Each structure stands twice: as structure tokens, then as C-alpha cells.
Amino acid sequence: FYLTPPQVNSILKANEYSFKVPEFDGKNVSSVLGFDSNQLPANAPIEDRRSAATCLQTRGMLLGVFDGHAGCACAQAVSERLFYYIAVSLLPHETLLEIENAVENGRALLPILQWHKHPNDYFSKEASKLYFNSLRTYWQELIDLNSGETTDVREALINAFKRLDNDISLEAQVGDPNSFLNYLVLRVAFSGATACVAHVDGVDLHIANTGDSRAMLGVQEEDGSWSAVNLSYDHNAQNEHEVERVKMEHPKSEEKSLVKQDRLLGLLMPFRAFGDVKFKWSIELQKRVIESGPDQLNDNEYTKFIPPNYYTPPYLTAEPEVIHHKLRPQDKFLVLATDGLWETMHRQDVARIVGEYLTGVHHQQPIAVGGYKVTLGQMHGLLTERRARISSVFEDQNAATHLIRHAVGNNEFGTVDHERLSKMLSLPEELARMYRDDITIIVVQFNSHVIGAY
């Protein structure tokens, strides 16, 4: 089934979103110029989510990608709730009091976040009251705990992640008299999601990561070439420190069963995630909640089974690993992306493709044919294709779309092959997932002048 270039473009551009940070008096005062984001589904419905918002009561901008598994419910909930928890964790005591007083007296609330959303990034209206009440309980506790010290961003991020995960678990245990809501909170808790979140404030960039999505910095070297700096570590079996951490948290007798076939208890790829109460709750609690839950839960295969060798829960945490980086003028952009991108592309290629796209300069690499025997005719074809590509390479108005085009359409020579792109995008739903995962990307562009002035 062959797609024409316009059809390919309409699929690739369906979820793209761009935001430019406004200038004040013609001057740019933010270290962020703006961002591009996009998503390409492989699952139906897509299990990835993305979020971006400006903090209105503190300084800074929040951006995040969320990769769901066992359904999209947990990723959806985390994408709409986590930033509120982070924002509240960062608020000074007086502002928290002001917000609490407004709620008590039925006055309008200070807006905490300004969201930057694509029309497809919806909020679940039905749960908003429940979510608000949990958030309010959290800020009331923060008011009671007031230590008078200013909040450290790293601590705020860790507290927000852990608290939201705790609330997801608690809401599922308590249930809800409304059967729709009851089913929703259980679906959120029994599915799971990884999260990779950036908080940018001036030259301070914090990345909080739980799971196997990644953050990568694009750096422009003095000779104009591009390099990649990792700002997160995957929490999976490939990370020796992570495997060690899990083993340290459980008795020696479980050492052999903890990680099997590169999965936690032989089942779960990420070693940290939101939700996934199957790997957190005791067996008694799981049984009690499922038995008292709605009938639809019993039809869900995922909730029924107990993981093998399940002796000393919890096996899973949502606690993020936080990395702080001071931005420098040569740090030009940040890429946040779910593992769907990193499975198909090396970070060095990601840095080069985005860097060249943003600067509009195409450094001509010598054509690499990687050990293939190439005839003169094929070489001519490659060069002709390269020339055509230079004229069309910047047809995308969005850096994330440009990256997805490469991730899905690259051939062995590192160039976008339209035929391959067409085939990959026309795969039926049940096949697409065998070839790739959902891909979600946010590309944040930094303002070197503002960063230099710091």
C-alpha cells in the first residue's frame, strides 16, 4: 500500500505542536526560545502522552513525556496531574496559604500553570474534582510542614513524583461511589507509565526521570559540529546500577528471580514507573481491591495474575533520578523522547539531525556506504538523492516531526527513504506495533544570548 508524499506528511503532522516563548518589549528574557513536539502512534489508542506548561507563581517551564504500558490510563493521569504536584511543591509558603484561603472562601484561585496543549492532549473532566481534592490535601500538608526554607528544585521534583504515585495508589484503594470514576482510578493504578520531565529556569535545567524515556542535550562544538550529552539514565536491565539497586532492596534468596529475561520479575521492562500496583501492593490488598471493584476489572486479564516469585513487595518505585545541568551558550537544544525514538536512533544522530535542522546548515558528511559494495550507478543515485534532499530537507516546520521522519524512514545510508517511510506508515494497527513503538518527542530550543548573559 503506497502513500504519496502529501499523505505521508498529513500522517506525520497530525499531532505536531509548536510554542514560541513571547518576547517582552521586543526583548527575549527567557532562556527558552520555544519548543516543538509531536507524536506518532503505533498502539491504538496511543499509550504515550506529553505535557508542557509555564509555571505562573514561580519561575520556569515544565516539559515532559510519558510512556504508558498495559493501556494509556496511567500515562494520561500522570500527564495531566504531575505538573500540578511539581508546581505546588515549588510554591513558597505564603502562596500556598493564599491558594488555600481562596478555596476555603470560594474565591477564584491563582492560576498555577499555563498549559501549552495540542487539541488532542485532553483532560479527563470527570476526574477533575477527585484530582483536585488529592492535590489540595497535598498542599495542606505542605502548609502544615512549613519549615520556612526555600524549596530545593531537586527535592520538589522527587516529592512530587512520589506523592502523585502514592495518591494514584490511595485513590484506587479507597474507590469511588461513582462506578465510572471507580473503574477509572483502578485502571490508572493497574496500568503503568514512565516519565521524563524537564524543569528549565534561567540556566538551571533539572531532569527528573523514572523509567526508560530519555533526555538528551544537543551541544554545538566550536567547529560547528554537533554532539549529544545524556541527561538521564534508563531504569532497566541494561543499567547495572539499577539492577544492583533492586537486588539491594530484596532478600538474597530472591536474587535469581528478581530480574529474568531482562525484565523485573520476568514481566516488566522499566524498573521504575508510576502506577503498576501489581508490583507494589501486597497480594492480600490486590485481591481485596479487585474483588470489591467493578465487574469490568475482572474481565481484564492484566489485573488477575499475581507476578511470579512475589514475596517482598514493593518491587517497583516511581522515585525519579534527578540530574541538574547548568546551561552554557553552546547548549542549543534539549530532546525529551519516549523509548520509541531511542530504539531506532543513536543519540549522536539525533543531535546532528536536530542541530542541522535548527541551524539550517547541512554539513555534508562524506557518503558512507558502510561496507556495502556499491556500483557507480547506485553511487550516482545516492548523490542525486542527497541533492534533492538538501532542497527539501527543511520542508518540516517542526523539529520533532523532522526527527520522526528520520526515525521511521531512515535507510542503511542514514537518509530518509520515501518508500520505507510509506511502508512503515501504512502498516495496519496490529502490525505497526511489531515494527516500532509509539514515538513522542519534545525539542526545546535554548536562547544562547540570554544564557550567555547569565
Side-chain angles (χ1 to χ4, degrees):
F1 182 58
Y2 192 73
L3 301 170
T4 63
Q7 286 171 317
V8 164
N9 282 345
S10 72
I11 293 172
L12 288 179
K13 293 172 189 285
N15 296 311
E16 66 179 16
Y17 178 84
S18 289
F19 175 75
K20 292 278 166 279
V21 173
E23 295 184 349
F24 294 96
D25 305 333
K27 275 217 296 288
N28 216 315
V29 290
S30 169
S31 57
V32 174
L33 281 170
F35 69 86
D36 291 339
S37 78
N38 201 349
Q39 294 189 297
L40 183 67
N43 292 294
I46 185 170
E47 294 183 344
D48 279 7
R49 293 291 185 272
R50 58 182 164 178
S51 295
T54 302
C55 300
L56 295 174
Q57 304 304 325
T58 52
R59 297 198 321 255
M61 196 166 185
L62 285 164
L63 307 111
V65 294
F66 311 94
D67 185 350
H69 46 264
C72 58
C74 188
Q76 176 60 40
V78 174
S79 74
E80 52 184 287
R81 301 178 72 181
L82 181 59
F83 287 7
Y84 281 114
Y85 280 70
I86 295 171
V88 161
S89 307
L90 287 166
L91 288 178
H93 188 242
E94 303 74 67
T95 315
L96 287 172
L97 281 173
E98 221 172 299
I99 291 173
E100 176 57 26
N101 286 335
V103 180
E104 287 235 315
N105 301 311
R107 288 200 312 273
L109 282 189
L110 284 174
I112 300 178
L113 294 172
Q114 176 195 351
W115 289 93
H116 311 299
K117 292 184 99 57
H118 185 278
N120 296 354
D121 305 335
Y122 67 98
F123 270 120
S124 39
K125 302 261 188 308
E126 303 81 6
S128 58
K129 193 167 186 263
L130 170 77
Y131 290 173
F132 178 80
N133 290 336
S134 293
L135 182 68
R136 184 182 179 191
T137 306
Y138 178 41
W139 80 54
Q140 287 171 335
E141 285 176 29
L142 288 174
I143 290 171
D144 294 341
L145 286 170
N146 171 37
S147 58
E149 291 161 29
T150 48
T151 318
D152 172 59
V153 177
R154 186 173 177 280
E155 248 172 84
L157 289 163
I158 292 172
N159 294 342
F161 272 62
K162 285 163 72 173
R163 176 59 181 234
L164 172 57
D165 192 51
N166 196 42
D167 284 355
I168 286 171
S169 173
L170 207 58
E171 288 156 4
Q173 290 171 47
V174 171
D176 197 280
N178 171 332
S179 61
F180 173 83
L181 267 184
N182 196 26
Y183 184 45
L184 177 82
V185 294
L186 289 164
R187 268 186 33 226
V188 168
F190 277 95
S191 58
T194 69
C196 187
V197 170
H199 179 265
V200 196
D201 176 7
V203 289
D204 288 305
L205 168 62
H206 286 83
I207 302 290
N209 182 50
T210 286
D212 51 10
S213 293
R214 275 185 211 167
M216 181 214 91
L217 201 58
V219 180
Q220 190 164 30
E221 304 299 343
E222 284 183 5
D223 65 358
S225 66
W226 294 95
S227 64
V229 176
N230 265 355
L231 288 181
S232 66
Y233 299 104
D234 295 357
H235 299 132
N236 58 21
Q238 274 61 55
N239 179 339
E240 290 168 21
H241 295 293
E242 197 57 12
V243 175
E244 277 313 301
R245 176 189 67 79
V246 171
K247 287 182 176 170
M248 293 281 292
E249 290 173 4
H250 299 277
K252 197 131 182 68
S253 54
E254 291 184 56
E255 201 162 339
K256 289 202 164 51
S257 58
L258 280 170
V259 180
K260 276 195 161 158
Q261 286 145 340
D262 282 350
R263 290 167 180 255
L264 189 64
L265 297 182
L267 295 168
L268 197 62
M269 288 285 270
F271 283 19
R272 302 189 193 196
F274 283 92
D276 280 322
V277 293
K278 301 244 33 124
F279 295 86
K280 293 172 180 169
W281 289 356
S282 69
I283 293 174
E284 300 74 54
L285 179 57
Q286 291 188 38
K287 286 187 171 148
R288 197 193 79 210
V289 169
I290 288 165
E291 277 161 17
S292 61
D295 298 338
Q296 301 108 300
L297 251 207
N298 295 317
D299 308 338
N300 182 338
E301 284 309 305
Y302 185 68
T303 54
K304 274 208 197 106
F305 78 94
I306 299 292
N309 303 302
Y310 197 77
Y311 307 114
T312 53
Y315 288 90
L316 192 64
T317 176
E319 180 167 340
E321 191 169 6
V322 178
I323 289 180
H324 173 239
H325 176 83
K326 275 250 189 278
L327 289 170
R328 311 156 299 173
Q330 63 266 39
D331 300 332
K332 300 297 182 188
F333 60 89
L334 171 74
V335 177
L336 298 171
T338 53
D339 62 349
L341 173 69
W342 311 110
E343 283 165 7
T344 58
M345 290 187 85
H346 190 271
R347 63 174 184 271
Q348 204 45 58
D349 295 328
V350 170
R352 180 179 55 79
I353 288 164
V354 176
E356 288 173 357
Y357 170 85
L358 290 176
T359 51
V361 179
H362 212 70
H363 275 295
Q364 288 294 16
Q365 310 277 348
I367 279 200
V369 288
Y372 294 91
K373 286 195 165 56
V374 179
T375 65
L376 213 54
Q378 287 171 312
M379 197 61 170
H380 177 73
L382 280 172
L383 288 164
T384 323
E385 188 193 332
R386 167 187 263 187
R387 196 164 75 214
R389 196 170 84 247
I390 294 168
S391 56
S392 72
V393 71
F394 303 123
E395 64 187 300
D396 292 317
Q397 301 301 301
N398 179 302
T401 307
H402 187 64
L403 202 43
I404 289 176
R405 188 184 297 276
H406 277 270
V408 179
N410 263 4
N411 59 15
E412 62 271 33
F413 304 118
T415 61
V416 174
D417 175 344
H418 178 75
E419 199 174 325
R420 180 182 160 81
L421 196 54
S422 164
K423 280 182 187 154
M424 290 294 280
L425 293 179
S426 60
L427 288 171
E429 275 163 13
E430 59 279 9
L431 272 180
R433 190 60 194 86
M434 292 165 68
Y435 286 91
R436 59 178 181 81
D437 196 353
D438 297 329
I439 299 176
T440 299
I441 300 171
I442 301 178
V443 179
V444 186
Q445 205 179 343
F446 295 123
N447 188 334
S448 306
H449 299 299
V450 170
I451 289 167
Y454 270 87

